[in-house]
Amino acid sequence: MSKNKTVVTAEPGKQELFITREFDAPRDLVYQAHTDPEILAQWLGPKDLSVEFEVFEPVSGGRWRFLNIDHDGNEYAFHGTFHEVTPTRVIQTFEFEGMPETGHVSLETMTLEDLPNGRTKLTTHAVYQSVADRDGMVEAGMESGVADGYDKLDEMLAATQNQPTL
Amino acid sequence: MSMARTPTTHDPFNAIAEPKRRELLELLQLQELSVNDIVDRLGWTQPMVSKHLGVLKQVGLVSERRDGRQRFYRTNAEQLKPIYDWVAPFERYWSERFNRLDEVLEQLKQQQKE
């Protein structure tokens, strides 16, 4: 377990969510890990799926498309375009191609901030086209490879009863 | 799991949608306080504190304890569990992803030193 806590803020009834996390690494390395497809493929996951980038152009106006492939060869594709790519901010669109119809696009703004002692704060703000789209994305987390390790979740729940996270 | 979230005052999801009520919940998570204490700490008017406390009490997110003429309020963490349960798997998904990123960053740091 990392001492750096990942915090997701998804307020009820809103079309947006925030994901924040700090890293014990300088900003240029965190940026590199997000913009070099070989490095990105090492951690993007999920754990049991391989990642293949078909296109990855991390420049303003560039495109990206990647596939998650499971053991049975099933492919899950995602694509989008980079609106702005700088060492302190990456803005991109994101769409899962497995939806019944196209157009469920979200706009993601990732901000990289320098912290003292060579650390970095990463904040992702994602805006969806509807509350239902946002909630669908949050609820998808329940099905995507999170079935194992419920003992860990139980521990977290035990902890949250003393000090719940809002 | 799908949570029905019809906007009613009986719905804890709706009750915490208001930023002021979340502020109140966070304060009352740390300590049990009276209305006057809350007015002092947050600088809100007494009617505003009472209004938001009322909604939170109604959905069971805040519990009340009477001690003589005084009433004290505290966040009822157990009632926050359904809200936590809803976002927790998504948060865990991202947490696992970022834990993998930690390992990758360690390797990058080592490479920079060499």
Side-chain angles (χ1 to χ4, degrees), chain B residues 2-18:
Chain B
S2 70
M3 299 292 303
R5 265 168 288 119
T6 328
T8 72
T9 49
H10 297 285
D11 180 356
F13 279 92
N14 185 54
I16 67 154
E18 155 67 46

Side-chain angles (χ1 to χ4, degrees), chain A residues 111-127:
Chain A
T111 311
L112 302 99
E113 284 172 79
D114 285 314
L115 295 178
N117 305 316
R119 300 178 72 252
T120 305
K121 182 180 180 182
L122 187 73
T123 305
T124 295
H125 176 216
V127 185

Side-chain angles (χ1 to χ4, degrees), chain A residues 1 3 13 24 32-33 41 45 48-49 61 65 70 73 75 82 85 94 99 103 116 121 125 131 137 146 160-161:
Chain A
M1 275 299 266
K3 63 181 164 53
D24 300 325
Q32 190 189 350
D48 301 326
L49 303 180
R65 184 170 190 266
D70 68 17
E75 294 180 351
F82 289 107
V85 181
F94 176 99
M99 295 295 283
K121 182 180 180 182
H125 176 216
V131 175
M137 183 57 79
V146 293
T160 202
Q161 287 182 20

Side-chain angles (χ1 to χ4, degrees), chain A residues 2 5-8 11-12 17 19 21 23-25 28-30 33-34 39 42-47 122 134-135 137-139 141-142 144 146 148-149 156-157 160-161 163-164 166, chain B residues 1-3 5 13-14 16-17 22 25-26 29-30 75 77-78 80-81 84-102 104-109 112:
Chain A
S2 171
K5 195 177 175 324
T6 302
V7 177
V8 171
E11 292 180 14
L17 59 83
I19 303 165
R21 173 69 145 75
F23 293 92
D24 300 325
D28 60 328
L29 288 188
V30 178
H34 279 87
I39 299 172
Q42 291 173 34
W43 62 268
L44 198 63
K47 197 168 52 189
L122 187 73
R134 197 283 311 260
D135 289 355
M137 183 57 79
V138 171
E139 284 160 17
M142 294 176 188
S144 56
V146 293
D148 57 332
M156 288 166 60
L157 284 171
T160 202
Q161 287 182 20
Q163 196 168 29
L166 280 181
Chain B
M1 179 176 63
S2 70
M3 299 292 303
R5 265 168 288 119
F13 279 92
N14 185 54
I16 67 154
R22 283 200 304 280
L25 282 173
E26 279 169 25
Q29 210 170 285
L30 305 172
T75 296
E78 180 62 31
L80 283 169
K81 196 170 167 292
Y84 179 79
D85 283 349
W86 183 70
V87 84
F90 183 74
E91 195 168 74
R92 217 163 78 79
Y93 172 79
W94 276 92
S95 181
E96 284 174 5
R97 176 180 273 181
F98 284 149
N99 289 344
R100 288 191 298 269
L101 175 54
D102 279 337
V104 169
L105 289 169
E106 278 308 311
Q107 289 166 17
L108 290 175
K109 279 200 274 189
Q112 266 196 344

Side-chain angles (χ1 to χ4, degrees), chain A residues 56-74:
Chain A
F56 194 79
E57 302 163 343
V59 291
S60 304
R63 294 185 303 135
W64 62 267
R65 184 170 190 266
F66 76 86
L67 304 171
N68 271 153
I69 305 164
D70 68 17
H71 297 306
D72 300 323
N74 296 312

